[in-house]
Amino acid sequence: MCLIKQVKNLCILAIKPFIEILAGCYMHCKLYKLNFQSLDTNTTNRKPLKLRALRFLKRLTPITLASSVFIGSSSSAQALQFNFTYAPGTSFEQMLGYEMAGKYWSNYLTDDVTLNIFIETTNMLPTNVIGGAIPGVTSKKLETVYEQIQADATSAADQTSLANVYTKDKGYEALTSTYKNGSRTTNSSKGMNNINLTRANAKALGLINGNDTGYDGYILISDLSNLSKPLSWNYFSETNNSSTIATGTLDFFSVAVHELTHTLGFISAIDSPEYGDLLNKKSSISGGEASKYAYLMDLFRLSGNSFTNGNKPDMSIGVDSMLSINAGTSKLGNMSSGSTKFGGDGNQGSHWKKDATYDGIMEASLGAGDNRNLATNNDLTVLDVLGWDLQQNNQSLLTIFNSAKSGLASKMGVTTSWMDANSTLAALRLTPQFIDTNGNGKDDRGESLNKMVNDSGAYNWGWNNYWWGWNGRWQGWNGYWQSSANLTADGFWQNATWETLDEFEDGEHNHDHDHDHLSSYSQSVPEPSSTLGLLGLVLFGIRSMIKGQGKK
C-alpha cells in the first residue's frame, strides 16, 4: 500500500504543473474552451506548449475517461468506487454533493468495482424536473445472470430470492397488459430468455469487468430555472448539516443519491416509451418482444393478477404492483404504476409509490423543505437481491462529507483549505471545456457517452442514429441539443416522467398525507406515441401546484 501511495503522490506531482497551466488558461482567457493556439502568439513557443498540454490530456484520458483532470480514488479497496466526470458549468458544491453521494453508497456496498458517471447541469429539462439518470444498459441470458446471482449470494435476502424468484430455467414468463380505449387485456408472455441490467449492476455480478473504463451512466442536474415556483438547491456542508431542509430549498444530496441508485439497477421496463407503444398497438406481445424491455428488478414486480397466475412478475403499465422477494408472502413496498394513458398513477414505474408511507430514497418526487431523504431497508434489499453486496454503514453524513471533500482535494493535489478558498478555480480545474486526444475534432467524453448509449441497445435515436444528432460531434455544453423545440419535435422527452409540486410538501407538512387522493395533485406524464423517445431518462420530479403542467 505504501508503494501505491508513493506512486500516486508522484503522479500528482507530475501532473500538477500541467493542471496549473490549464487553470491559468481558463482564468486569463476567461473562456471555458481550451484553445491552445490562443495561449501564445509566438509560433515558436506555441507548439511545445500545445504538445505538452495534449500529452497531459492523453496521459489522463486512458486512465479513465470519467476522470478528466484527476486520478484515483480515496475509497477503500474492497468497496464500490465512483469515478465522476463533471461537465463545464457544474458548480463546486454540486461536485461535492455527488462525491458525497458516491461515498454514501460506497459505505453500504462492498463490491470491488468502479463506476464511471458523467454529471452535467442543464437548463433544458422539462418543467419541474430536477434531475435525471440515463444508465448504460446490457442484455444477458437469464440463465447466465442466474449463475452469477447464485455464485454471488451472500445474504439471507439473496437466498430468499433464489428460492422464490430467480429460476435455473432458460426462460421465464411475465404478465403483460395491452390497453386500448380504456380496456385492458392481460396476457402471459412466455419464452422470455433475456434480461436487461444496468452496466453498474452487471459489473457487480461480474458480467462486465469491474474496472472497465467506459461510462456506466449519465446524470443531469436541473439549474432550477425550469421550476414553476422559485426554489434553490440546499447543499450539505460543515455548517449546513441539519436533517431539516429549509423551506424554499431542495436537498441536493437526496437527489444525488436517488439518481445514482437508478444507475445501480433500480429501473423498470414499464417506463420505456417503446414498450408502451407496443402495448398500445398490439393485442398481445410475445416473450421475445417483452424480454427486450424487461429489467432484472422487474422479476420482483408482482400485482394482484400475479397471485392468480402462478406468481408471475407483472410488467403491465397502469397496474398496481409491489416488489417482493418471496413470491408475495410479504412486500417491500408498493410501486408507481406509470403513464396515465394506461390508467397509471402518473409516476414513473422505476420508483416507490408516493403515498402515506415513506418507502425509501427511490420515491418519485421530492418536496421543498421537510426532512432529508435517506435510503431505507427497502432500497438496500432491492440492491442486495440484484447482486450488490451489503455492509452496515455506521458513518454520519458529516463524516461522509468530510471524506468526500478530502478525496476531491487529493484528486487535485491540493489541500481542503485551498479548495475552500478557491472553489471556482477548483471547479474549473475539474471541467476542461474540450478534450480531443485523438485529434478527430470530437470531444472524447461525447464519443464515450455516445458509445455507452449505442452499446446499450435500449435507446432509440433520431438524428441519423447519433446520440448528439449531428454526426456525433459534441456541440458544446448546455447547447448540444440546440433548442427545446428541437427536443420536442424529435420526441426527446417521450421517456421522461415528472409530476407536479404538492402544496403539502413545502416544509410545513410531512409524509403523513396520502397525496394520491388530494385534488391538488395532478399527474403529468408524457404519453408514448408512434414517434419513439430518444432517451431513457429516469427522471426525479418535484410536485407543482399547476395542474397538468408539462403535458406533451
Side-chain angles (χ1 to χ4, degrees), residues 188-203:
S188 181
S189 297
K190 301 179 180 180
M192 298 173 65
N193 298 313
N194 294 337
I195 197 78
N196 291 312
L197 306 88
T198 64
R199 276 180 51 90
N201 197 169
K203 281 186 171 182

Side-chain angles (χ1 to χ4, degrees), residues 4-263:
I4 293 173
K5 186 173 181 181
Q6 289 174 2
V7 172
K8 179 179 177 181
N9 289 337
L10 286 173
C11 290
I12 290 173
L13 290 173
I15 69 172
K16 190 172 180 181
F18 297 106
I19 292 176
E20 299 294 343
I21 290 171
L22 295 177
C25 297
Y26 293 130
M27 297 302 291
H28 289 24
C29 298
K30 295 182 180 179
L31 293 173
Y32 290 130
K33 182 175 180 181
L34 266 175
N35 184 345
F36 294 110
Q37 291 186 346
S38 68
L39 301 182
D40 193 341
T41 55
N42 186 315
T43 55
T44 302
N45 296 330
R46 183 189 306 154
K47 185 175 180 180
L49 179 57
K50 177 179 179 180
L51 288 176
R52 278 188 295 162
L54 282 175
R55 290 191 191 111
F56 161 65
L57 291 175
K58 286 179 179 179
R59 283 198 299 271
L60 290 171
T61 304
I63 293 173
T64 168
L65 277 169
S67 185
S68 300
V69 290
F70 52 82
I71 61 174
S73 173
S74 60
S75 297
S76 61
Q78 192 61 40
L80 168 65
Q81 298 183 45
F82 286 89
N83 204 3
F84 295 106
T85 303
Y86 302 100
T90 310
S91 73
F92 183 69
E93 292 80 6
Q94 290 169 341
M95 294 177 186
L96 268 180
Y98 266 94
E99 296 286 337
M100 181 182 175
K103 293 282 187 183
Y104 178 79
W105 276 128
S106 294
N107 284 317
Y108 273 119
L109 306 176
T110 64
D111 303 81
D112 191 17
V113 302
T114 299
L115 303 184
N116 306 306
I117 310 293
F118 188 83
I119 310 289
E120 180 175 13
T121 300
T122 180
N123 62 359
M124 300 189 71
L125 291 176
T127 302
N128 287 337
V129 172
I130 58 177
I134 307 168
V137 177
T138 184
S139 178
K140 301 293 182 182
K141 293 290 185 183
L142 181 61
E143 185 179 17
T144 302
V145 175
Y146 171 85
E147 292 171 356
Q148 294 302 111
I149 290 282
Q150 188 176 46
D152 189 67
T154 58
S155 68
D158 288 334
Q159 297 300 333
T160 298
S161 65
L162 280 167
N164 292 277
V165 179
Y166 292 117
T167 172
K168 291 183 287 186
D169 297 333
K170 294 182 178 180
Y172 63 102
E173 295 181 37
L175 301 180
T176 54
S177 297
T178 58
Y179 193 81
K180 294 183 179 181
N181 302 319
S183 177
R184 183 182 304 280
T185 303
T186 301
N187 303 286
S188 181
S189 297
K190 301 179 180 180
M192 298 173 65
N193 298 313
N194 294 337
I195 197 78
N196 291 312
L197 306 88
T198 64
R199 276 180 51 90
N201 197 169
K203 281 186 171 182
L205 288 171
L207 296 168
I208 295 178
N209 188 304
N211 295 315
D212 185 276
T213 58
Y215 280 128
D216 300 300
Y218 174 30
I219 291 176
L220 294 167
I221 306 166
S222 172
D223 67 359
L224 303 187
S225 64
N226 61 328
L227 302 188
S228 59
K229 61 185 296 185
L231 296 173
S232 60
W233 285 118
N234 188 304
Y235 300 108
F236 190 100
S237 69
E238 295 97 329
T239 57
N240 184 36
N241 53 43
S242 171
S243 62
T244 301
I245 306 303
T247 301
T249 67
L250 295 164
D251 183 39
F252 187 85
F253 174 73
S254 296
V255 177
V257 173
H258 177 107
E259 301 303 346
L260 289 180
T261 311
H262 280 309
T263 68

Side-chain angles (χ1 to χ4, degrees), residues 37 60 123 143 198 201 233 247 276 310 314 345 349 354 369 371 440 451 455 465 479 487 493 511 533-534:
Q37 291 186 346
L60 290 171
N123 62 359
E143 185 179 17
T198 64
N201 197 169
W233 285 118
T247 301
D314 196 334
D345 60 14
K354 189 74 175 182
N371 296 320
N440 67 352
K451 182 178 183 340
D455 288 351
N465 292 319
L487 298 179
W493 299 118
H511 295 290
L534 296 180

Side-chain angles (χ1 to χ4, degrees), residues 375-435:
T376 65
N377 185 63
N378 289 343
D379 302 307
L380 297 174
T381 301
V382 171
L383 295 181
D384 187 5
V385 298
L386 291 180
W388 294 95
D389 297 329
L390 299 183
Q391 65 181 359
Q392 184 65 39
N393 177 13
N394 294 316
Q395 292 192 352
S396 69
L397 290 185
L398 184 58
T399 299
I400 293 172
F401 172 82
N402 288 329
S403 174
K405 189 174 182 180
S406 296
L408 200 56
S410 177
K411 290 172 183 177
M412 289 191 291
V414 300
T415 63
T416 55
S417 58
W418 180 93
M419 211 162 53
D420 286 336
N422 300 277
S423 60
T424 301
L425 179 57
L428 289 175
R429 286 189 176 191
L430 295 170
T431 54
Q433 180 67 17
F434 192 76
I435 300 177

Side-chain angles (χ1 to χ4, degrees), residues 333-384:
N334 294 323
M335 299 299 288
S336 297
S337 54
S339 171
T340 54
K341 181 175 181 178
F342 292 83
D345 60 14
N347 294 329
Q348 202 170 42
S350 302
H351 300 98
W352 300 117
K353 189 176 183 63
K354 189 74 175 182
D355 54 23
T357 303
Y358 177 68
D359 289 309
I361 193 67
M362 296 315 292
E363 286 196 348
S365 65
L366 180 72
D370 212 343
N371 296 320
R372 176 170 292 111
N373 292 340
L374 296 174
T376 65
N377 185 63
N378 289 343
D379 302 307
L380 297 174
T381 301
V382 171
L383 295 181
D384 187 5

Side-chain angles (χ1 to χ4, degrees), residues 250-303:
L250 295 164
D251 183 39
F252 187 85
F253 174 73
S254 296
V255 177
V257 173
H258 177 107
E259 301 303 346
L260 289 180
T261 311
H262 280 309
T263 68
L264 296 177
F266 206 105
I267 188 170
S268 172
I270 77 169
D271 298 322
S272 166
E274 250 189 287
Y275 179 59
D277 193 62
L278 198 65
L279 293 177
N280 193 44
K281 284 182 175 180
K282 304 188 70 172
S283 57
S284 65
I285 62 174
S286 68
E289 290 172 317
S291 63
K292 285 176 58 179
Y293 307 101
Y295 281 87
L296 194 58
M297 191 177 77
D298 287 320
L299 296 181
F300 300 88
R301 195 179 195 106
L302 301 178
S303 70

